[in-house]
Amino acid sequence: MIKENSSNAANKAFLFQSCRINAALDAISGRWKALILIHIYEGVNRFSLLKNVLPGISDQTLGKQLKEMERDGLLYKEIIAEVPVRVDYHLSEKGKALQPILVSLSDWNDMK
């Protein structure tokens, strides 16, 4: 967490205003976000299912990453009134638009 009055926060704000790519990269940065987005795109859209396909992630980290992506408009959650209550995560239009970008980044990484 960055203090609002810190020079780090001021630098971050300047970079986001100066280059929109920085803000875009910030929205998908984080060790797990790209992989979470890919799994949700493929239909793995519940917390417990995501935990199964991402065995190294803690509950706290998964919850934090999902909340951040919801805050950034990449996904939304649907609360289904069942017993027990079920929560499904879905990609927003903005999140769906990331899919070809993530594929391109993957292809770029594979370049020699």
Side-chain angles (χ1 to χ4, degrees), residues 84-103:
V85 173
R86 191 175 92 207
V87 177
D88 288 351
Y89 292 92
H90 303 281
L91 295 178
S92 65
E93 290 304 313
K94 187 175 182 179
K96 289 175 187 173
L98 265 175
Q99 198 262 343
I101 296 167
L102 293 175
V103 169

Side-chain angles (χ1 to χ4, degrees), residues 28-84:
I28 60 171
S29 69
R31 186 176 296 171
W32 298 98
K33 286 183 182 178
L35 199 50
I36 292 168
L37 288 168
I38 289 166
H39 283 301
I40 292 174
Y41 180 80
E42 293 174 345
V44 180
N45 65 347
R46 291 192 202 142
F47 192 94
S48 61
L49 298 175
L50 288 164
K51 278 289 291 176
N52 287 339
V53 297
L54 303 169
I57 194 170
S58 70
D59 289 356
Q60 181 180 6
T61 299
L62 178 57
K64 181 178 183 249
Q65 299 286 280
L66 289 166
K67 284 178 187 173
E68 288 176 4
M69 289 187 288
E70 186 178 10
R71 178 200 66 208
D72 292 336
L74 301 178
L75 54 84
Y76 64 93
K77 64 181 174 182
E78 175 187 15
I79 299 172
I80 300 164
E82 294 179 344
V83 178

